[in-house]
Amino acid sequence: MRTGQCHCGAVRYALEGEPMHHTLCHCSDCRRHAGAPMVGWAMFKSDQVKLGQGEPKVYESSETGRRHFCADCGTSLFYTNEAMLPGITDIQSATLDDSDALPPSAHIQVADRIAWMKDVHLLPEFARYPGQ
Ligand SMILES: [Zn+2]
Ligand SMILES: [Zn+2]
């Protein structure tokens, strides 16, 4: 069973079985809510998602979209939309305890992508910081 949590650990969750898919979303709503250039989402049926402890706060990010986050540390955790995705919970995959174990399979919403994100794999890399 996969597990994950917010940054402070107040909210923990577990996931039964496999996701329908795992994608990297470039839409402007995800970017702004996460404060990050893209967001990984693993899509599960809501009954596969078990809250271990804590209760996320729910933000109405659109008419029917709901973003669930830790009210203590602010980490974004889940997305639900009962109008468009009934019975589905998207898990913000970077909150998994073992993110390496669930690689994504596609980029989505690239129509919204920040232009320079297309070539970020070409940037120089440092194991920690430059000069170390
Ligand atoms: Zn937290
Ligand atoms: Zn998105």
Side-chain angles (χ1 to χ4, degrees):
M1 187 168 323
R2 295 185 166 91
T3 55
Q5 67 169 53
C6 64
H7 189 270
C8 77
V11 180
R12 285 196 57 81
Y13 64 86
L15 304 168
E16 291 178 344
E18 294 303 309
M20 279 163 264
H21 49 70
H22 176 202
T23 58
L24 301 175
C25 186
H26 295 264
C27 87
S28 53
D29 277 351
C30 284
R31 294 200 327 252
R32 190 173 295 276
H33 189 258
M38 66 181 178
V39 177
W41 292 109
M43 182 178 279
F44 285 82
K45 294 197 174 75
S46 296
D47 59 14
Q48 292 176 279
V49 181
K50 311 292 178 193
L51 268 183
Q53 66 180 47
E55 191 71 38
K57 186 166 177 167
V58 180
Y59 167 58
E60 299 185 8
S61 62
S62 67
E63 191 178 334
T64 55
R66 300 289 179 268
R67 290 176 189 265
H68 307 239
F69 66 98
C70 175
D72 290 338
C73 70
T75 303
S76 307
L77 293 161
F78 313 130
Y79 177 83
T80 56
N81 189 327
E82 284 305 319
M84 293 175 67
L85 297 166
I88 298 294
T89 298
D90 263 327
I91 306 297
Q92 204 149 311
S93 57
T95 64
L96 287 165
D97 292 329
D98 184 4
S99 294
D100 277 332
L102 188 60
S105 59
H107 293 272
I108 61 171
Q109 298 273 33
V110 294
D112 275 2
R113 179 171 54 192
I114 300 171
W116 50 254
M117 277 294 284
K118 192 174 191 310
D119 295 317
V120 286
H121 60 290
L122 301 174
L123 295 173
E125 296 186 346
F126 303 91
R128 296 299 176 195
Y129 298 104
Q132 286 188 322

